[in-house]
Amino acid sequence: MEGSDTYIIRPNHQYKFKPAIVKECIREIVRERLSGMRYDPEEVPELSRSLADCIKDKVKNAGFDRYKLVVQVVIGEQRGQGVKMSSRTLWDADTDNYAEDVFINDSLFCVAAVFGSYYY
Amino acid sequence: MDDDQTEEETAFVVDEVSKIIKESVEATIGANAYQHSRVNQWTTSVVEQCLSQLSKLGKPFKYIVTCIIMQKNGAGLQTASTCFWDNSTDGSCAVRWENKSMYCIVTVFGLAI
């Protein structure tokens, strides 16, 4: 009896994590939820959590099979202060990727980043 | 051939990672005041130091390290993260550090291979 190798250990090109598509997902959600919002310290914890959950669900539905996702949302008040956010990763550059988007209005700024890592 | 690895060697140990993060932050921006011109270099250096220490642990993990440095001026900042992963093997660790002129939040996500 011969078996064939069917367990996929590297995604095909069309099944790879596509940053452009994910960035679009993030953009839609963030723009819809945050346009016209003001920074309110009471609401912001709940808002950032629910934004992260929405983004995660939307990316899951986009059909990236076998990918583990990490979604990070940062919302800050705009008061003229300086802010810098940076990230580095130790992963497989062939299969893994990330997408991010920044939204700014008069009273707040929001950075959302989605990291996708292939599960072998 | 020794394929068995004990639980401790392949789990995400939050304390160990937290210690690595604190050391990296202290070493890079420990005593400094916020300077707009140096912030780029600081965030990069914190993140790269963390990553190199983490890779020295030799665990079968993929790491994502993010660092936010914000000047103190009374403004509020909130970070939230949600993950779709395997709870039994993957983990995250966030460390909040501050000095007189700035805040620094470093988050490390570890994803098991």
Side-chain angles (χ1 to χ4, degrees):
Chain A
M1 279 279 262
E2 262 180 43
S4 57
D5 310 320
T6 52
Y7 187 77
I8 303 176
I9 54 169
R10 282 204 119 58
N12 270 329
H13 181 74
Q14 63 235 96
Y15 300 115
K16 280 197 182 157
F17 189 85
K18 297 203 183 74
I21 297 185
V22 177
K23 181 170 168 124
E24 220 15 72
C25 291
I26 304 179
R27 215 158 223 214
E28 276 170 23
I29 297 180
V30 169
R31 246 130 263 252
E32 185 194 311
R33 299 279 300 272
L34 293 185
S35 291
M37 274 226 116
R38 302 209 59 78
Y39 184 90
D40 178 4
E42 315 278 310
E43 277 180 26
V44 145
E46 191 43 52
L47 178 62
S48 55
R49 224 167 292 147
S50 90
L51 255 177
D53 283 328
C54 272
I55 294 175
K56 182 189 67 171
D57 290 334
K58 187 145 197 196
V59 177
K60 269 174 75 176
N61 290 335
F64 296 112
D65 226 19
R66 301 270 294 272
Y67 271 93
K68 288 186 176 176
L69 303 170
V70 173
V71 179
Q72 186 173 31
V73 171
V74 179
I75 301 185
E77 193 180 355
Q78 269 248 62
R79 275 228 210 161
Q81 80 277 21
V83 175
K84 177 80 181 158
M85 175 165 163
S86 65
S87 76
R88 283 285 183 286
T89 53
L90 180 69
W91 61 19
D92 183 342
D94 179 40
T95 57
D96 308 331
N97 219 320
Y98 78 101
E100 37 96 55
D101 195 40
V102 180
F103 171 82
I104 308 184
N105 76 12
D106 290 326
S107 106
L108 56 75
F109 66 88
C110 173
V111 181
V114 178
F115 301 88
S117 157
Y118 192 71
Y119 185 65
Y120 301 115
Chain B
M1 194 145 76
D2 185 13
D3 280 337
D4 302 322
Q5 276 187 302
T6 55
E7 268 292 314
E8 303 98 65
E9 281 168 31
T10 53
F12 188 81
V13 183
V14 180
D15 296 326
E16 199 176 29
V17 173
S18 162
K19 187 159 143 286
I20 288 178
I21 299 175
K22 288 190 184 124
E23 282 169 10
S24 301
V25 174
E26 280 294 321
T28 311
I29 54 181
N32 299 343
Y34 181 86
Q35 276 165 38
H36 187 70
S37 54
R38 297 190 61 190
V39 131
N40 260 345
Q41 174 209 354
W42 284 338
T43 50
T44 311
S45 149
V46 165
V47 149
E48 281 173 0
Q49 262 194 329
C50 278
L51 208 51
S52 68
Q53 293 296 92
L54 287 168
S55 67
K56 285 195 186 126
L57 293 177
K59 295 194 175 175
F61 274 91
K62 289 182 179 178
Y63 294 105
I64 297 168
V65 183
T66 65
C67 167
I68 303 167
I69 295 187
M70 184 170 97
Q71 189 184 18
K72 266 191 185 179
N73 94 339
L77 183 74
Q78 175 77 31
T79 67
S81 65
T82 169
C83 311
F84 177 60
W85 62 21
D86 183 344
N87 257 334
S88 57
T89 54
D90 307 329
S92 71
C93 172
V95 170
R96 196 178 149 272
W97 181 94
E98 65 181 279
N99 72 8
K100 285 210 200 84
S101 61
M102 56 184 167
Y103 295 108
C104 177
I105 302 179
V106 179
T107 325
V108 174
F109 300 94
L111 306 169
I113 298 181

